Amino acid sequence: MDLGIKGRRALVCASSKGLGRGCAEALAAAGVDLVLNARGVEALEQTAEAIRAEFGVMVTAIAADITTDEGRAAVLAGAGDIDILVTNAGGPPPGIWSDWGREDFIAALDANMLTPIALMTTLMPKMIDRGWGRVVNITSQSVKAPIPALGLSNAARTGLTGYVAGTARQVAPFGVIVNNMLPGIHATDRARSLDGGVAQQAEISLEEAKAQRVATIPARRYGTAEDFGAMCAFLCSEKAGFIVGQNILVDGGATNATL
Ligand code: NAP
């Protein structure tokens, strides 16, 4: 399928690895030029080079912490005109409700709610001027069904979801389409780290922890970055112009809900 976005320019945040990289690769496969971002320079440069070599698109790599004012300023200064924005950052640490104080919440809100809002606020006016834009925010299945150990994530991402619900409807008349993607468990470093925590707590092996989790997923496997990227590229495409303010689960059926 021709997604109709060849030659567009996308900023994909937190994209040297994992789900962000999956989105970047799928966009590159559709002919989209990329601005990639992550904190670590080495993995970022390797990913940028691999995407250039495989897809022949232009790739700019900007190493910065996207959750800080300075980091965002550096990324936005180097990004140029952006048609497609994919927001992403690392997720907050797991724990229990009694672990978390004000500073923990402020950090989670900064990373997973206020950062995507700041990026949208900065980049959407030019998308509106040009009459075309796409935004995908990577949130989590925890927005639909809470993951108790990820209370900081549940809180911050639900806040972002509420913001997007209204904002998406305010910018859609100008050709700017905003949606959220809700990953279930995908085989990335983040998943390995969460499984490691479960394994340690339950005194089982990493493989056992993973097998237990796979058993809860109707698709009976973890998702891949490619699974996730395919939906992201579609939501960023010309074809997705009538999908506004939605929360798309990519979770192998793990969230047991009718709607
Ligand atoms: P990952 O495999 O750990 O990859 C994270 C990527 O983001 C890396 O490229 C990392 O590079 C970059 N990054 C992290 N913090 C950053 C920051 N502050 N500024 C810029 N880049 C940053 O994670 P993932 O599994 O792809 O997860 C992506 C998001 O989806 C996270 O918020 C996660 O909580 C959420 N999520 C994931 C799953 C899952 O199963 N994987 C499920 C639900 C939700 P550097 O470390 O070099 O910066």
Side-chain angles (χ1 to χ4, degrees), residues 54-94:
E54 185 171 356
F55 302 103
V57 295
M58 282 171 49
V59 183
T60 304
I62 304 175
D65 183 339
I66 199 67
T67 67
T68 65
D69 289 343
E70 308 76 48
R72 274 192 305 281
V75 170
L76 290 166
D81 283 343
I82 292 296
D83 306 299
I84 295 168
L85 167 65
V86 179
T87 75
N88 186 28

Side-chain angles (χ1 to χ4, degrees), residues 35-128:
V35 179
L36 301 185
N37 151 258
R39 293 163 303 181
V41 179
E42 200 176 326
L44 180 63
E45 291 296 345
Q46 279 173 8
T47 297
E49 193 41 48
I51 291 178
R52 280 185 207 109
E54 185 171 356
F55 302 103
V57 295
M58 282 171 49
V59 183
T60 304
I62 304 175
D65 183 339
I66 199 67
T67 67
T68 65
D69 289 343
E70 308 76 48
R72 274 192 305 281
V75 170
L76 290 166
D81 283 343
I82 292 296
D83 306 299
I84 295 168
L85 167 65
V86 179
T87 75
N88 186 28
I96 185 167
W97 63 270
S98 51
D99 291 343
W100 302 313
R102 179 179 166 77
E103 291 312 312
D104 303 300
F105 279 100
I106 297 293
L109 292 172
D110 264 341
N112 301 112
M113 177 182 170
L114 298 175
T115 289
I117 290 174
L119 290 164
M120 282 186 270
T121 305
T122 305
L123 292 174
M124 288 197 308
K126 280 200 174 166
M127 295 181 189
I128 289 171

Side-chain angles (χ1 to χ4, degrees), residues 9-45:
R9 187 171 167 84
L11 167 58
V12 186
C13 303
S15 54
S16 65
K17 299 179 189 168
L19 303 181
R21 178 171 178 163
C23 294
E25 290 184 345
L27 287 167
V32 173
D33 294 325
L34 296 172
V35 179
L36 301 185
N37 151 258
R39 293 163 303 181
V41 179
E42 200 176 326
L44 180 63
E45 291 296 345

Side-chain angles (χ1 to χ4, degrees), residues 44-254:
L44 180 63
E45 291 296 345
Q46 279 173 8
T47 297
E49 193 41 48
I51 291 178
R52 280 185 207 109
E54 185 171 356
F55 302 103
V57 295
M58 282 171 49
V59 183
T60 304
I62 304 175
D65 183 339
I66 199 67
T67 67
T68 65
D69 289 343
E70 308 76 48
R72 274 192 305 281
V75 170
L76 290 166
D81 283 343
I82 292 296
D83 306 299
I84 295 168
L85 167 65
V86 179
T87 75
N88 186 28
I96 185 167
W97 63 270
S98 51
D99 291 343
W100 302 313
R102 179 179 166 77
E103 291 312 312
D104 303 300
F105 279 100
I106 297 293
L109 292 172
D110 264 341
N112 301 112
M113 177 182 170
L114 298 175
T115 289
I117 290 174
L119 290 164
M120 282 186 270
T121 305
T122 305
L123 292 174
M124 288 197 308
K126 280 200 174 166
M127 295 181 189
I128 289 171
D129 287 347
R130 291 194 292 270
W132 198 95
R134 297 285 185 268
V135 179
V136 167
N137 299 293
I138 300 179
T139 65
S140 170
Q141 77 182 115
S142 70
V143 169
K144 289 255 186 195
I147 300 170
L150 293 178
L152 293 171
S153 172
N154 298 339
R157 297 184 197 279
T158 307
L160 174 63
T161 305
Y163 170 85
V164 166
T167 303
R169 289 162 171 91
Q170 290 179 320
V171 299
F174 307 101
V176 179
I177 301 297
V178 186
N179 290 289
N180 302 319
M181 285 184 64
L182 286 54
I185 195 78
H186 285 70
T188 67
D189 288 355
R190 165 81 170 169
R192 267 185 292 280
S193 145
L194 291 175
D195 283 346
V198 170
Q200 202 176 16
Q201 210 171 24
E203 297 182 355
I204 56 177
S205 72
L206 190 62
E207 283 316 304
E208 282 173 300
K210 195 176 162 187
Q212 284 179 8
R213 193 180 320 227
V214 164
T216 69
I217 303 171
R220 293 291 184 268
R221 67 173 177 89
Y222 281 17
T224 65
E226 292 76 22
D227 292 325
F228 196 79
M231 174 55 81
C232 179
F234 182 78
L235 288 175
C236 294
S237 79
E238 201 59 58
K239 313 283 181 196
F242 206 52
I243 303 173
V244 172
Q246 297 303 298
N247 292 282
I248 311 290
L249 268 172
V250 181
D251 72 343

